[in-house]
Amino acid sequence: MTDLWSVWWVWIVAALTLALIEVFIPAFVFLGLAVGAAVVGVALGFGLLGWVGAGLPMLLLLFAVSSVVAAIALRNIIGVRRGQVKHWDRDINE
């Protein structure tokens, strides 16, 4: 029997679960993790990791690297822009 971490649809389900968590807990961290899991799932699904053996350490390394790259890219694309600070003129309790 194949280990679950080497099955492509398990990574896709993990990506969808992490994206759903991001909807309910908007921490902007889970979105990068979801993209990383989706990258691993797609790479396994298309057989792109066959040349490296697709062992657990390689999958986790690919997941970690793609998650960090996705988080940085998403932060630059849809994150807080420079100069986008809210200035309050009056207090709500006044």
Side-chain angles (χ1 to χ4, degrees), residues 22 25-33 70-76 78-79:
E22 180 67 36
I25 306 171
F28 203 68
V29 175
F30 298 107
L31 191 59
L33 294 174
I72 292 171
L74 289 170
R75 178 77 175 166
N76 288 334
I78 61 175

Side-chain angles (χ1 to χ4, degrees), residues 2-88:
T2 307
D3 293 323
L4 278 180
W5 45 264
S6 63
V7 180
W8 68 271
W9 59 266
V10 172
W11 286 95
I12 299 298
V13 168
L16 292 174
T17 304
L18 288 166
L20 187 66
I21 290 172
E22 180 67 36
V23 169
F24 290 112
I25 306 171
F28 203 68
V29 175
F30 298 107
L31 191 59
L33 294 174
V35 171
V39 166
V40 174
V42 168
L44 281 173
F46 286 117
L48 301 176
L49 298 176
W51 57 276
V52 293
L56 182 60
M58 184 57 68
L59 292 176
L60 291 178
L61 179 66
L62 178 62
F63 172 67
V65 169
S66 59
S67 294
V68 168
V69 169
I72 292 171
L74 289 170
R75 178 77 175 166
N76 288 334
I77 294 171
I78 61 175
V80 177
R81 302 277 192 263
R82 188 173 300 205
Q84 188 179 5
V85 178
K86 177 70 174 171
H87 295 285
W88 298 98

